[in-house]
Amino acid sequence: MSTTELPKQYNPLESEAKWQKYWEESGVFVAASQSDKEPYCIMIPPPNVTGSLHMGHAFQEVLIDILIRYHRMRGFNTLWLPGTDHASIAVQTILDKQIKAEGKTNQEIGREKFLERAWEWKAQSGGTIVSQLRRLGVSADWTRERFTMDEGLSHAVIESFVKLYEAGLIYRGEYLVNWCPASQSAVSDLEVDNKEVNGHLWHFRYPLADGSGHLVVATTRPETMLGDTAVAVNPEDDRYKSLIGKTIMLPIVNREIPIIADAYVDREFGSGCVKITPAHDPNDFEMGKRHDLPLVNILNKDGSINENGGEFQGQDRFVARKNIVAKLDGLGLVEKIEDYTHTVPHSERGKVPVEPLLSIQWFVKIKPLADFALEQFDRQNSPTFVPDRWGKVYRDWLVRLKDWCISRQLWWGHQIPAWYAPDGTIFVARNEAEACAQAKEKFGADITLEQDPDVLDTWFSSGLWPFSTLGWPEQTQDFQTFYPTSVLVTGFDIIFFWVARMTMMAGYFTGKMPFHTVYIHGLVRDENNQKMSKTKNNGIDPLILIDKYGVDALRYSLVKEVTGAGQDIRLDYNRKTDESTTVETARNFANKLWNASRFVMMNLSGLNTAEGIQENLELADRWILSRYHQTVLQVREQLDAYSMGEATRSLYEFFWGDFCDWYIELVKSRLQEDADPTSRATVQQTLAFVLDGILRLLHPFMPHVTEEIWQLLTYGTSEPSSDRPVLAIQLYPEVDTAPIDAELEEQFQLLIGTIRTIRNLRAEAEIKPSVKVKVILQSDSDRERALLEAGKSYIFDLAKVEDLAIVASVDASATEEAIAGVVGTVQAIVSLVGVVDIGQLVAKLERALKKLENAIASSQGRLNNEGYIKKAPPEVVATARAELEESLKQQEILKARLEQLQSK
């Protein structure tokens, strides 16, 4: 290969776009429905179709892609199935705003036109997140891309609803749900943001019905007192034991309500008396069931007070709150008002506080579904969690789960397959024709049916994702080949909302857990180690970093930061310049890979990398091959254990440290034209073999740059062609322990340490790079001296030595006018005679030390000044302290060097 064919610079944006396009168009990522190969399948956690790529997506998809590419190169029939979630609330919010901006309402345009607009929006704008995912270089099988409302998945949703209903596991009833007054829909806990607000704690006097006094109750929501149906005290509270069974006259409403005893009441909170509003508080609702209390709903669906609110009817809940407090104050029933900071759940969509509200909704009976998932986990440890601590969290949730409200008062989504007769009879069916047939059978005649207007919670359809995407309920070839899937990669925050629902649904419908392993990853935190969020506006756009540094650099930097499975990572970022030193370091690593590969290819003389390694290996050759095979073993073990951060660091240390810093430098003299031809050929074959292996090892992490280099190395061109295979489907390096020589590696480390020590001594004495030195290496060990003798040529070349003596002992005179260092049990002595003027060097170091000591004194004075510490920004103080610490270290080094030189 000629040097003209090797570009001097690597262009990541050009290379990444080229290879991503070719891989996809040539079907590299398409899995086989039938294959003799072992299947390996991961389903993408479907992002919202409304979404755009954020750093959390980037981190998660890169982790998945590493696993997918690794297993594809290991020869598995690998499927990464991509897709998106229809995101009922998010899409409806977008359309609501558009329709409102046109001066219209949803009711005016009607459901049918609304849904037409929704599908139009999806066709035009719904692919943004998909195109951005492709920028990450993900090796997903886009021919199998799914959408939670496409025809196949919608069929699965309807079928599962009908089957659960027929089994008595879905029911309809009036229960307490999270209600968003703005969107007028039930919302799940995941659609709620808990915000800390500064409010009040009102203490009201509730008069006893017999006129003998009053009880004081405390509340943060005064308007709910209109729906109180009891006051509760703890049965062990001596203050109120005599009052249990008596009644209270509820102020304003003038409803007589009982005083009840319940162990749930905290005697230490407030007065120890709690107002009970079963229709507007989940804890009160449970207490109401225990004591058979009536349910009094005082809210309309828009958050205004209904007819049960008397004179406050029609008022907004917060307006009514003020008016009720004023009314009670006028009656002399306000004991006190305290400032109170507490957490209030807000609707993520409506941006208003949610209300616990009695509402007729559809529910899934969770316990029968959870019991099977619990049994699988307890008996089979299925699925297995990585890290395993999340298994306990998963189990605890399965035990505590309550029935699941699955209906939402929206239009975009899977409309509930239930139809109502005029008398309210419910017919659940797969379609309207089937419902009509059921109605005719019941009533003996055709009647008009009306479908339930509500849609299903999006978690219902995504709960079916691992098997509905493969064609279930049909027994498709994909379903038979790839189910159960291999691994789920997801965040800890949706173990309850998604992971548990998938295991429960899969267990019921397929009798198997949907995946063998759940790998829980951590969060990407910002430069201040804060969790990224919309409210903090501290997100980092991965596309900006991709444009600046290339996607391989971003991928590598994200994974390299992981210090253990499931751990959070911190990504440094300069918001003024949109720069990241972490990603820049990864880009430099990609450039190092390019430049080192270019050097190797320039010195191969057209060698084919498929040729084997010759027998006449020298010391350095045997060492690098041992280190290479040790790295293969280490990286495969780390990837198999989901230790992807550790794997990247192992590869970094081997490539940059062992291969570039040492092996390439050690063999440069053997690559010269006048070098021994046999030795030169051995070096070329070793370089080609190890570089080929490095590219394969690194490919799952940095796919584009490794593909580009591998094509150049193997075929002499990087232009894609159907006539040539791609690295993406080459075999990952196999473990071969035969070349691993632990003793040789240990010995070679001594040789490397010796060279490094001599170099450091040269630097300390300020010996010019062009000047060669005389060196004595002294060791009591015959073994060490033999090793140093074997590596003598390397010491000459890399440490710039002209005369080298390897001895068992050394005369005291040899250390005069010399500088010495130690590596292990080897003493390295570098003669300064004729090389350095010791007097001049000492004087120079003394001047440097004096200057440094003045700077240290100045820094210490500033940092000991309390006024400076108080006035200066914290980051400035932190920087000053770090600089002082570094200066003190430099002071120690300079003193040690002077002490050694002045003793001569």
Side-chain angles (χ1 to χ4, degrees):
M1 183 184 300
S2 66
T3 57
T4 56
E5 295 176 282
L6 292 165
K8 292 183 178 179
Q9 297 291 329
Y10 172 59
N11 185 333
L13 297 183
E14 179 183 306
S15 176
E16 288 161 5
K18 173 181 69 177
W19 285 112
Q20 196 64 28
K21 183 174 184 289
Y22 179 75
W23 286 330
E24 291 184 17
E25 290 180 350
S26 61
V28 169
F29 306 147
V30 177
S33 292
Q34 287 182 288
S35 173
D36 294 333
K37 297 179 179 179
E38 184 178 348
Y40 184 86
C41 177
I42 297 179
M43 302 294 178
I44 192 173
N48 284 350
V49 70
T50 57
S52 58
L53 191 70
H54 58 64
M55 201 57 74
H57 289 136
F59 184 44
Q60 178 172 266
E61 311 320 334
V62 167
L63 292 172
I64 295 174
D65 197 49
I66 289 169
L67 292 173
I68 286 290
R69 287 182 181 272
Y70 170 58
H71 283 85
R72 185 182 291 117
M73 293 179 76
R74 285 182 57 194
F76 286 77
N77 180 22
T78 306
L79 169 61
W80 182 5
L81 195 147
T84 48
D85 186 273
H86 61 277
S88 289
I89 290 177
V91 171
Q92 185 127 357
T93 300
I94 291 170
L95 296 176
D96 286 351
K97 288 179 180 177
Q98 290 178 359
I99 292 167
K100 186 177 181 180
E102 296 169 6
K104 301 175 183 177
T105 67
N106 292 351
Q107 287 67 33
E108 287 174 345
I109 69 171
R111 184 173 194 138
E112 186 176 341
K113 292 292 183 183
F114 179 90
L115 291 176
E116 286 179 8
R117 292 180 66 140
W119 282 106
E120 287 173 5
W121 176 90
K122 197 267 180 185
Q124 294 171 4
S125 306
T128 299
I129 186 69
V130 170
S131 62
Q132 291 174 336
L133 285 173
R134 284 176 144 133
R135 286 285 315 270
L136 282 173
V138 299
S139 59
D141 183 349
W142 295 104
T143 66
R144 286 178 165 90
E145 181 185 353
R146 304 308 298 266
F147 175 57
T148 47
M149 281 183 62
D150 67 28
E151 185 178 351
L153 271 66
S154 295
H155 172 54
V157 168
I158 299 303
E159 187 67 22
S160 60
F161 185 97
V162 172
K163 286 182 178 295
L164 288 170
Y165 180 80
E166 290 174 347
L169 295 176
I170 282 183
Y171 62 94
R172 185 173 184 259
E174 187 177 38
Y175 295 90
L176 209 61
V177 297
N178 289 326
W179 186 265
C180 171
S183 60
Q184 297 191 36
S185 172
V187 293
S188 75
D189 291 339
L190 192 67
E191 297 152 1
V192 166
D193 291 326
N194 289 309
K195 298 181 180 180
E196 193 172 84
V197 299
N198 295 319
H200 296 92
L201 187 63
W202 287 270
H203 297 255
F204 299 138
R205 300 182 187 124
Y206 280 17
L208 293 167
D210 61 9
S212 61
H214 66 265
L215 291 179
V216 175
V217 299
T219 181
T220 59
R221 299 158 67 213
E223 66 279 8
T224 62
M225 61 90 60
L226 300 172
D228 286 355
T229 58
V231 171
V233 299
N234 191 291
E236 301 303 319
D237 195 331
D238 292 334
R239 294 173 295 176
Y240 306 116
K241 280 184 177 180
S242 62
L243 297 178
I244 296 170
K246 290 190 174 186
T247 58
I248 292 288
M249 187 58 68
L250 184 63
I252 300 176
V253 181
N254 293 322
R255 180 167 61 242
E256 193 170 352
I257 59 176
I259 299 172
I260 63 173
D262 196 290
Y264 176 79
V265 177
D266 181 0
R267 287 180 286 182
E268 305 302 319
F269 179 77
S271 64
C273 301
V274 181
K275 59 188 287 299
I276 305 303
T277 318
H280 294 287
D281 183 276
N283 296 318
D284 292 3
F285 182 76
E286 295 300 321
M287 198 181 299
K289 288 197 294 185
R290 289 196 294 272
H291 296 274
D292 197 25
L293 298 176
L295 301 171
V296 179
N297 175 30
I298 55 98
L299 287 176
N300 294 311
K301 292 183 176 181
D302 63 358
S304 63
I305 305 299
N306 65 17
E307 67 279 3
N308 291 326
E311 63 187 276
F312 305 101
Q313 182 178 357
Q315 295 181 11
D316 176 79
R317 53 183 167 157
F318 298 117
V319 173
R321 175 178 295 181
K322 294 179 181 178
N323 293 335
I324 288 168
V325 171
K327 179 90 172 182
L328 289 170
D329 191 36
L331 293 172
L333 297 177
V334 177
E335 177 86 4
K336 62 178 177 178
I337 302 174
E338 297 178 301
D339 290 336
Y340 190 68
T341 301
H342 61 130
T343 300
V344 176
H346 283 65
S347 168
E348 190 179 69
R349 178 185 177 217
K351 310 301 180 186
V352 298
V354 299
E355 290 287 346
L357 185 72
L358 278 174
S359 178
I360 296 176
Q361 303 287 346
W362 289 88
F363 295 83
V364 173
K365 288 182 180 178
I366 285 294
K367 192 174 187 307
L369 305 181
D371 284 348
F372 181 80
L374 195 60
E375 180 184 11
Q376 291 292 299
F377 186 72
D378 287 344
R379 293 190 178 184
Q380 307 291 333
N381 191 30
S382 178
T384 300
F385 279 79
V386 179
D388 60 4
R389 66 178 182 273
W390 290 110
K392 183 180 185 303
V393 175
Y394 165 75
R395 189 187 190 284
D396 288 346
W397 272 332
L398 286 177
V399 171
R400 300 198 317 265
L401 284 175
K402 297 179 181 179
D403 286 0
W404 171 18
C405 175
I406 56 172
S407 46
R408 298 289 181 268
Q409 289 63 54
L410 305 167
W411 283 353
W412 174 245
H414 296 102
Q415 190 170 357
I416 290 175
W419 284 260
Y420 302 103
D423 67 352
T425 302
I426 301 174
F427 298 98
V428 170
R430 291 167 179 81
N431 51 57
E432 186 174 6
E434 188 177 300
C436 288
Q438 292 179 18
K440 186 172 184 179
E441 184 177 344
K442 178 175 176 61
F443 294 108
D446 291 332
I447 61 170
T448 301
L449 299 179
E450 183 176 345
Q451 188 173 0
D452 193 310
D454 291 352
V455 299
L456 288 165
D457 176 16
T458 52
W459 294 107
F460 189 91
S461 52
S462 58
L464 309 173
W465 185 255
F467 48 100
S468 64
T469 50
L470 295 172
W472 183 91
E474 310 304 326
Q475 293 296 308
T476 64
Q477 188 60 55
D478 271 3
F479 180 77
Q480 293 177 41
T481 299
F482 294 107
Y483 188 83
T485 65
S486 305
V487 184
L488 173 71
V489 179
T490 189
F492 62 85
D493 51 339
I494 55 173
I495 293 177
F496 164 63
F497 297 104
W498 191 40
V499 179
R501 287 173 181 174
M502 284 190 287
T503 59
M504 290 188 294
M505 293 290 231
Y508 183 78
F509 288 114
T510 73
K512 300 175 182 177
M513 290 296 95
F515 21 73
H516 298 298
T517 302
V518 180
Y519 172 61
I520 301 293
H521 61 72
L523 302 174
V524 182
R525 295 183 175 271
D526 71 3
E527 66 276 15
N528 299 312
N529 206 33
Q530 298 294 310
K531 179 180 177 181
M532 296 185 196
S533 68
K534 292 179 182 178
T535 54
K536 292 180 181 178
N537 194 30
N538 65 335
I540 301 172
D541 186 349
L543 296 175
I544 291 176
L545 295 176
I546 289 173
D547 288 339
K548 187 178 289 288
Y549 301 110
V551 72
D552 280 351
L554 178 64
R555 289 168 60 109
Y556 188 81
S557 61
L558 286 173
V559 180
K560 190 172 184 286
E561 291 298 303
V562 180
T563 56
Q567 296 301 305
D568 293 352
I569 67 170
R570 175 182 169 274
L571 185 65
D572 74 279
Y573 185 60
N574 185 323
R575 295 182 183 275
K576 293 180 180 178
T577 61
D578 290 325
E579 294 175 333
S580 168
T581 55
T582 302
V583 186
E584 184 178 359
T585 298
R587 183 200 57 192
N588 294 342
F589 178 69
N591 288 338
K592 181 74 170 180
L593 180 65
W594 179 264
N595 292 330
S597 300
R598 187 170 184 271
F599 170 83
V600 169
M601 286 184 273
M602 288 169 62
N603 285 280
L604 291 184
S605 305
L607 176 75
N608 188 323
T609 61
E611 294 179 16
I613 303 297
Q614 290 186 2
E615 293 298 321
N616 52 344
L617 298 172
E618 298 183 19
L619 184 67
D621 307 324
R622 289 190 289 112
W623 171 74
I624 196 64
L625 290 171
S626 178
R627 290 293 305 125
Y628 166 73
H629 287 285
Q630 185 71 259
T631 302
V632 171
L633 174 63
Q634 191 173 3
V635 169
R636 288 185 67 124
E637 287 178 345
Q638 288 163 335
L639 286 175
D640 290 342
Y642 301 95
S643 299
M644 286 170 268
E646 289 80 352
T648 59
R649 290 189 289 278
S650 295
L651 288 170
Y652 183 95
E653 291 165 6
F654 171 71
F655 168 72
W656 199 304
D658 297 336
F659 187 67
C660 294
D661 287 353
W662 291 106
Y663 184 69
I664 286 179
E665 294 301 317
L666 288 168
V667 301
K668 277 183 177 178
S669 61
R670 294 165 60 193
L671 291 169
Q672 301 302 313
E673 290 294 335
D674 58 353
D676 176 71
T678 302
S679 179
R680 187 166 186 263
T682 300
V683 169
Q684 290 174 324
Q685 289 171 326
T686 304
L687 283 169
F689 174 81
V690 175
L691 178 59
D692 177 85
I694 288 170
L695 296 173
R696 292 169 189 255
L697 288 168
L698 273 171
H699 181 75
F701 305 93
M702 307 180 85
H704 307 90
V705 65
T706 52
E707 183 74 77
E708 183 87 359
I709 295 171
W710 188 82
Q711 294 289 333
L712 287 166
L713 175 67
T714 310
Y715 301 109
T717 176
S718 63
E719 285 305 309
S721 170
S722 58
D723 296 332
R724 297 190 305 274
V726 290
L727 175 59
I729 52 175
Q730 297 304 299
L731 286 178
Y732 206 71
E734 296 285 350
V735 173
D736 181 1
T737 58
I740 298 176
D741 188 335
E743 183 178 1
L744 170 64
E745 291 187 29
E746 182 183 350
Q747 293 171 350
F748 214 82
Q749 280 305 113
L750 177 64
L751 189 60
I752 289 173
T754 301
I755 294 170
R756 187 180 285 120
T757 299
I758 297 171
R759 285 173 167 178
N760 291 340
L761 291 172
R762 291 177 60 104
E764 287 181 21
E766 298 187 4
I767 299 172
K768 294 179 181 179
S770 59
V771 175
K772 292 190 175 184
V773 294
K774 296 178 180 180
V775 175
I776 298 172
L777 298 178
Q778 180 271 324
S779 173
D780 296 335
S781 167
D782 294 340
R783 176 172 164 272
E784 286 182 342
R785 291 198 304 276
L787 174 65
L788 293 171
E789 193 69 41
K792 205 171 183 177
S793 61
Y794 305 138
I795 299 173
F796 274 107
D797 285 351
L798 270 62
K800 300 292 180 66
V801 175
E802 66 175 357
D803 185 77
L804 177 63
I806 301 171
V807 298
S809 60
V810 43
D811 295 333
S813 60
T815 62
E816 295 178 1
E817 292 195 54
I819 189 169
V822 175
V823 53
T825 58
V826 174
Q827 181 180 204
I829 303 167
V830 176
S831 174
L832 301 179
V833 177
V835 177
V836 172
D837 186 322
I838 295 179
Q840 287 184 2
L841 179 59
V842 167
K844 182 177 180 180
L845 292 177
E846 285 176 337
R847 290 194 297 272
L849 180 61
K850 182 66 175 176
K851 183 178 179 181
L852 185 62
E853 287 174 339
N854 289 337
I856 289 172
S858 176
S859 294
Q860 288 174 331
R862 190 164 61 253
L863 290 170
N864 289 332
N865 184 331
E866 291 186 9
Y868 170 79
I869 298 297
K870 290 179 180 178
K871 291 180 181 178
E875 60 271 19
V876 173
V877 175
T879 300
R881 284 183 172 141
E883 289 174 349
L884 175 59
E885 186 178 347
E886 182 60 29
S887 295
L888 290 170
K889 289 179 182 177
Q890 291 177 12
Q891 182 187 39
E892 289 179 15
I893 293 170
L894 278 175
K895 284 183 175 180
R897 289 172 64 186
L898 274 169
E899 184 178 341
Q900 187 177 25
L901 289 169
Q902 288 169 340
S903 65
K904 304 303 177 188

